[in-house]
Amino acid sequence: MTVETYLIPPPTSSSPFHTRVHKITSSRAILAADSGFAIHSQTGPIESERRMPILQSPSEDVYGRFENKLSGIATSRAGVSGVFDLLRTGRGRVHNADGNSNTNFARTVIPSIVSQVNGEKWLATRVFAIPGDSVTRGWLEEWEASQKGWGSVDEMKKELGI
């Protein structure tokens, strides 16, 4: 298996996202996951063991997690972490990480895009993150605005010059 990765920085210094493009070649069928950042996943008082709720849609007003065909996103007092599938070839997930796999928080979740690969496949994700001390009104609008993708691999490669 080989992976060729292109990292595209945020378009401005204040943009809360960057873009990752991967060309994966595998001689056998595999699952590939491109993930956002692990984020605190508990609700309620500090030291609470309750997992964050599953949301019907992302919300600025409620901590929780949301996943659909194109994205996975989690919001908590630690901030916002999300990932979006720009080529629409995978599936959004928010995975429960093993306990104590993060040095800052005992329980975390990891937003991911999971894709099947058999042969050659291009994956492109937009990774979105805002730390908790800067979570304010307006992040949801930025999240939605960051989701402009490409209609095809050829269109993506042409725009990025790869």
Side-chain angles (χ1 to χ4, degrees):
M1 178 179 73
T2 61
V3 180
E4 190 174 331
T5 298
Y6 302 86
L7 296 176
I8 296 102
T12 69
S13 61
S14 63
S15 297
F17 62 85
H18 68 277
T19 304
R20 300 177 191 157
V21 175
H22 308 285
K23 177 185 174 187
I24 301 175
T25 307
S26 177
S27 60
R28 61 187 177 91
I30 61 168
L31 282 178
D34 195 7
S35 300
F37 300 98
I39 189 168
H40 176 65
S41 67
Q42 296 163 283
T43 61
I46 302 285
E47 305 301 324
S48 167
E49 290 294 326
R50 292 177 292 187
R51 286 285 187 176
M52 61 177 50
I54 297 171
L55 303 174
Q56 296 301 311
S57 63
S59 174
E60 291 184 349
D61 299 324
V62 178
Y63 292 153
R65 59 201 270 163
F66 170 78
E67 59 185 46
N68 66 10
K69 181 162 175 37
L70 301 176
S71 66
I73 189 167
T75 61
S76 74
R77 63 178 168 261
V80 180
S81 178
V83 64
F84 185 82
D85 183 359
L86 296 169
L87 290 173
R88 295 156 176 79
T89 59
R91 171 82 177 126
R93 295 277 186 239
V94 179
H95 299 282
N96 290 327
D98 288 338
N100 297 318
S101 59
N102 181 292
T103 58
N104 293 325
F105 303 106
R107 304 255 186 251
T108 59
V109 293
I110 305 171
S112 302
I113 301 296
V114 178
S115 302
Q116 298 258 355
V117 178
N118 192 4
E120 180 183 290
K121 187 165 189 172
W122 286 84
L123 308 175
T125 55
R126 179 107 347 111
V127 180
F128 185 93
I130 299 176
D133 59 357
S134 61
V135 174
T136 59
R137 295 271 177 227
W139 71 259
L140 186 57
E141 187 176 317
E142 289 184 90
W143 163 251
E144 290 169 351
S146 74
Q147 296 179 12
K148 179 190 174 290
W150 297 283
S152 70
V153 170
D154 290 336
E155 181 184 328
M156 175 198 69
K157 289 167 55 176
K158 182 177 178 182
E159 182 178 322
L160 297 177
I162 54 177

